[in-house]
Amino acid sequence: MSTFDPRKDPRGRTSNAGSFSERTHSDPETTLGAPEDWPAIGSETLDWESRYAEPSALERYGPHPQTYTAAVPPLISGRALRLSPQTAALARAAENELIRFDASLNDEMTGFAPLLLRSEAAASSQIEHLSASARAILTAEIGDTSKRNATEIVGNTRAMQSALALADELTPGSVRKMHEVLMGGTNHAPGDWRTEPVWIGTSARSPVGAAFVAPRFERVPALMDDVMKFARRDDLPVLSQVAIAHAQFETIHPFTDGNGRTGRALVQSMLRGKDITRSVTVPVSAGLLTDVNAYHDALTAYRAGNVEPIVEQMAVASDDAIRNARTLVGQIRETTTGWREQAKPRTGSQLEKILDYAARQPVFTAATASADLGIGTTNIYPHLRKLAELGILKQKSEYKIGQVWRSDDVLAALDQFVDRAGRRRS
């Protein structure tokens, strides 16, 4: 059994922060100390003005004036990060496990990357109480927009893809692009900073008495500039930096809607941009989904000036996500091995290409497969019929898009992944 060395990453390099990076990291002694050194958010009292031009009778005759307390987050871009030795070691260990998992799939990236990306998007959406079956989500991907939740989750998948594409930027502009992709087609100002209050509480009518009110919208641009400067720093242990940038983003709540999903897309963008994940999207949101209450409690603790819980939650979520993803990968490998034993495709043949395609795209039409694989439709149908006869694929008519082909084995594995993520650890 190997002994874990928190100063050595799985790719054989030794770094002070325990992360895989060619950049220079700070000495770990500068990152250890009392967690209470991180500042709590401040507050300011603001007058509440109804969004309607004319007040209602209730507003005219109710208590006047009405005020509410909004958060004033501290600026963090140049702040020292002090963690207890235990939390720092936990984060380094989780960071190294993320690197190991990513490296272990490098040769199979083409097959597993799309499935893990969709799994992350589905889990992130479920944290916001948006759920749909894998079949509904993948059917929405190819044009069936009849199921609202599935369509919104597809938007989240595209936002994750955008986050990975923008991983080298980590700017306010890249965050706005992620949100634009996520919320495109909605009335929630896709890609624009909010110009109104947002809050967490039981009343949708006003922020008066809300549990948490995000900073007034005039503060958002400067706060987002600051948190993205923090995200671009290269002198911090990466997973801890990711956790804190995420918590600060969620505290700012820069958009009218979609903040949670955009904030978790930012997590993936930072992991990719800082070389923790090079090949696949590790579904960290699936780990957070395992105990959503603890995740929300950690965000609350961060706002009170304690960074330890959110760093610990990100580390534990990463570990849970890796375990869950390994199970999914094992199921897909077993399924595809069985397919090959049944179908007996020749190496490099069209049949082999279609089998690989069905594993990573388990709902498709003949036209989409033909276009993606470069196989003529007249040539693809005999292969699809053969796979249907073998029970590998099923054919069904779907609303709006006609005949689709699907792999129920892969769809079941994806649904089981989300189900496992939704169970709290005992």
Side-chain angles (χ1 to χ4, degrees):
M1 180 181 295
S2 62
T3 302
F4 167 66
D5 180 356
R7 293 173 61 86
K8 182 169 288 187
D9 73 54
R11 291 182 176 126
R13 303 187 181 194
T14 300
S15 68
N16 291 330
S19 66
F20 174 67
S21 176
E22 304 229 354
R23 298 179 283 269
T24 302
H25 291 271
S26 61
D27 187 89
E29 293 301 316
T30 66
T31 64
L32 303 180
E36 62 266 20
D37 287 348
W38 197 263
I41 61 172
S43 63
E44 61 182 337
T45 300
L46 302 172
D47 292 331
W48 167 243
E49 296 180 6
S50 173
R51 70 183 68 184
Y52 303 106
E54 292 294 330
S56 66
L58 183 64
E59 291 168 329
R60 284 198 301 271
Y61 297 107
H64 190 77
Q66 287 188 306
T67 62
Y68 65 96
T69 301
V72 181
L75 299 178
I76 67 170
S77 60
R79 195 167 295 278
L81 171 58
R82 295 181 172 86
L83 297 172
S84 68
Q86 295 85 355
T87 300
L90 178 68
R92 285 196 297 269
E95 186 176 307
N96 287 339
E97 284 304 307
L98 286 169
I99 295 170
R100 286 190 184 95
F101 177 71
D102 180 83
S104 73
L105 297 179
N106 192 47
D107 293 340
E108 299 172 278
M109 178 185 69
T110 302
F112 292 124
L115 297 177
L116 290 172
L117 177 68
R118 292 188 184 98
S119 298
E120 167 65 0
S124 178
S125 298
Q126 191 159 323
I127 292 173
E128 307 299 328
H129 307 291
L130 287 170
S131 61
S133 68
R135 176 182 166 184
I137 296 167
L138 284 149
T139 305
E141 271 191 19
I142 58 173
D144 183 356
T145 58
S146 61
K147 295 181 175 62
R148 180 178 174 181
N149 277 12
T151 302
E152 290 196 31
I153 294 169
V154 170
N156 200 11
T157 302
R158 291 171 180 157
M160 292 284 178
Q161 292 169 329
S162 173
L164 298 178
L166 297 167
D168 291 333
E169 297 185 21
L170 293 178
T171 64
S174 66
V175 173
R176 292 176 71 167
K177 181 62 178 177
M178 295 174 209
H179 186 262
E180 181 183 358
V181 173
L182 172 70
M183 304 303 292
T186 73
N187 60 356
H188 289 288
D192 292 335
W193 303 140
R194 58 182 169 85
T195 57
E196 60 186 82
V198 295
W199 60 90
I200 299 171
T202 56
S203 174
R205 184 177 295 111
S206 84
V208 177
F212 173 76
V213 182
R216 59 186 172 91
F217 71 85
E218 293 90 346
R219 294 184 180 274
V220 167
L223 286 167
M224 284 304 302
D225 284 342
D226 176 73
V227 71
M228 296 314 291
K229 286 179 184 176
F230 177 84
R232 292 194 300 273
R233 284 173 59 178
D234 57 11
D235 63 333
L236 298 170
V238 175
L239 195 64
S240 300
Q241 180 185 19
V242 169
I244 290 168
H246 173 70
Q248 182 77 352
F249 175 89
E250 297 302 333
T251 298
I252 298 167
H253 244 59
F255 304 109
T256 57
D257 193 24
N259 291 284
R261 285 167 286 168
T262 304
R264 289 183 290 275
L266 175 61
V267 167
Q268 295 297 335
S269 190
M270 290 183 68
L271 290 174
R272 180 62 57 87
K274 293 176 180 296
D275 280 339
I276 300 302
T277 58
R278 290 176 166 182
S279 304
V280 297
T281 303
V282 179
V284 176
S285 293
L288 295 172
L289 183 59
T290 303
D291 195 342
V292 175
N293 288 338
Y295 168 48
H296 290 156
D297 289 346
L299 291 174
T300 299
Y302 172 82
R303 292 163 188 157
N306 185 358
V307 300
E308 300 270 300
I310 192 61
V311 174
E312 291 167 1
Q313 279 299 305
M314 194 65 70
V316 171
S318 298
D319 185 65
D320 284 346
I322 290 168
R323 292 172 186 268
N324 197 352
R326 281 185 175 137
T327 300
L328 173 63
V329 167
Q331 289 176 307
I332 301 301
R333 281 176 176 152
E334 184 178 351
T335 294
T336 55
T337 297
W339 287 356
R340 288 174 180 275
E341 290 174 354
Q342 284 182 279
K344 297 179 173 57
R346 295 191 315 276
T347 301
S349 66
Q350 292 181 346
L351 183 59
E352 183 182 59
K353 291 178 182 178
I354 294 168
L355 282 172
D356 291 341
Y357 183 76
R360 66 179 185 270
Q361 184 69 41
V363 178
F364 59 91
T365 66
T368 57
S370 175
D372 292 341
L373 297 174
I375 300 173
T377 53
T378 55
N379 293 328
I380 208 167
Y381 274 108
H383 298 306
L384 295 177
R385 284 193 288 268
K386 176 179 179 178
L387 295 178
E389 290 169 2
L390 292 171
I392 293 172
L393 296 180
K394 288 187 178 178
Q395 184 182 17
K396 192 173 187 302
S397 179
E398 293 284 356
Y399 177 66
K400 286 188 177 180
I401 54 177
Q403 294 294 316
V404 300
W405 302 81
R406 68 175 196 261
S407 165
D408 286 350
D409 291 336
V410 176
L411 293 175
L414 292 172
D415 284 335
Q416 290 163 16
F417 173 90
V418 176
D419 287 343
R420 288 191 300 271
R423 299 180 197 143
R424 288 190 59 164
R425 296 181 305 276
S426 57

